[in-house]
Amino acid sequence: MEFKNLLVENNDFISWISIHRPSKLNALNLAVLEELQVLFAQLKTDKNTRVIVLTGSGEKAFVAGADISEFSHFDQNQGTDLSRKGKELVFDFIASTHKPVIAAINGFALGGGLELALSCHVRIATSNARMGLPETSLGVIPGYGGTQRLPQIIGRGRATELILTGRMINAEEALQVGLVSRVVPQNELLDTAALIAATIMKNSPHASSRAIRAIASAYEDGVDGMEKESEHFGACFDHPEFKEGTQAFLEKRKAKF
Ligand code: COA
């Protein structure tokens, strides 16, 4: 598939994705969502991809939200469907990708744009970034996982305040509440993402994927996270990367993963 709304590059086992709809501040229309769905499905099994970095094209926006013009005329059934399908095909799919996904937030991350970042495993931002879930100002609520993931990440009280007020927070506040883990100047964003990716890639890909799944299991209904952790922990022992990692330590050399 040829991507018209995504810029995609792969260097040194990192796949870089830029959402590219500059005239609409990279707002997520159906075409962008379809392309993200296809691309993430490809990257899941791509041997040259160990870490994925998601960002927005240009210097103003990561993603300014779902494309409001596409759903303003929807009724209840269409709204429910939009939310369910979007989550299943893109937002939950990204969250459950076993390879680490880093959101590099380079400007506005609003509504569906912030929800996209919330689906990623790591979030970093530029100092000019602005984040928020302004859906209640449009007469709707976040529907791509925002009411669930934001409280998990920053706590219920803070998330409720942000969702009910719909206010935007700056990068400094986002760092303070744990919404992002680093804030850097605009011109250092991609280098910082590359550095985080490179640091992750020094470690076992198998262990990374197990860690992502173990952490996620804490938030799955009816799942005992502690038990899942034991299962994922145990599964590492039969994997060659565990043998390599422990052997390398004992032999006082760097592990080769
Ligand atoms: N859906 C559709 N189009 C959007 C959009 C969205 N979520 N966000 C921005 N755009 C479009 C604007 O309509 C405008 O298009 P136009 O030039 O054809 O009129 C273009 O992107 C530029 O946006 P503009 O509003 O002119 O930029 P700004 O710098 O004045 O304001 C924002 C930036 C982000 C504050 C403003 O665009 C905004 O509030 N966007 C909507 C945010 C939102 O509510 N998102 C949640 C949706 S669920």
Side-chain angles (χ1 to χ4, degrees):
M1 178 178 186
E2 193 193 327
F3 299 112
K4 295 200 175 110
N5 300 287
L6 304 176
L7 306 176
V8 188
E9 243 182 83
N10 181 285
N11 294 313
D12 301 330
F13 296 97
I14 306 171
S15 280
W16 298 87
I17 308 172
S18 291
I19 297 178
H20 185 62
R21 262 191 101 204
S23 66
K24 298 290 176 190
L25 300 184
N26 305 324
L28 299 174
N29 62 2
L30 288 179
V32 176
L33 290 173
E34 273 168 25
E35 290 185 14
L36 281 173
Q37 176 199 345
V38 170
L39 180 59
F40 269 91
Q42 285 174 5
L43 297 181
K44 192 176 172 182
T45 54
D46 176 29
K47 291 199 165 51
N48 288 320
T49 300
R50 284 181 57 183
V51 177
I52 298 163
V53 181
L54 188 57
T55 191
S57 206
E59 296 202 338
K60 193 167 169 185
F62 173 71
V63 168
D67 192 316
I68 298 166
S69 66
E70 276 192 347
F71 60 76
S72 57
H73 59 285
F74 276 13
D75 64 17
Q76 178 169 353
N77 288 337
Q78 290 170 302
T80 309
D81 202 42
L82 181 75
S83 167
R84 285 197 181 129
K85 278 206 177 125
K87 277 188 276 204
E88 182 193 333
L89 300 176
V90 180
F91 295 79
D92 291 356
F93 191 86
I94 292 175
S96 63
T97 300
H98 297 172
K99 297 177 182 181
V101 185
I102 301 171
I105 303 172
N106 56 314
F108 290 113
L110 301 173
L114 182 56
E115 290 173 301
L116 191 62
L118 293 171
S119 299
C120 299
H121 306 119
V122 176
R123 280 161 297 285
I124 60 173
T126 54
S127 40
N128 69 331
R130 297 283 177 279
M131 288 154 257
L133 293 176
E135 285 88 343
T136 53
S137 72
L138 300 168
V140 67
I141 67 168
Y144 287 144
T147 66
Q148 307 304 297
R149 292 197 174 100
L150 190 63
Q152 288 166 8
I153 292 167
I154 68 169
R156 182 171 168 175
R158 286 186 174 123
T160 305
E161 191 247 332
L162 282 187
I163 290 170
L164 295 184
T165 61
R167 77 181 170 93
M168 280 188 224
I169 61 172
N170 62 23
E172 193 190 335
E173 187 174 351
L175 183 64
Q176 194 200 332
V177 299
L179 180 51
V180 298
S181 52
R182 291 194 207 182
V183 174
V184 295
Q186 184 97 33
N187 62 357
E188 291 175 20
L189 183 70
L190 299 185
D191 284 348
T192 305
L195 187 66
I196 295 173
T199 309
I200 291 173
M201 287 191 295
K202 282 188 190 154
N203 300 325
S204 152
H206 178 253
S208 294
S209 103
R210 293 279 174 185
I212 286 171
R213 281 179 276 173
I215 293 165
S217 64
Y219 304 101
E220 286 162 20
D221 279 346
V223 171
D224 179 346
M226 287 294 188
E227 176 49 31
K228 276 282 160 206
E229 180 191 72
S230 298
E231 288 171 24
H232 287 299
F233 177 78
C236 294
F237 285 73
D238 279 347
H239 198 278
E241 289 176 14
F242 172 74
K243 312 287 175 217
E244 166 61 12
T246 48
Q247 209 54 43
F249 177 82
L250 295 172
E251 290 168 9
K252 299 190 187 307
R253 62 173 173 85
K254 283 204 172 122
K256 287 194 200 97
F257 294 118

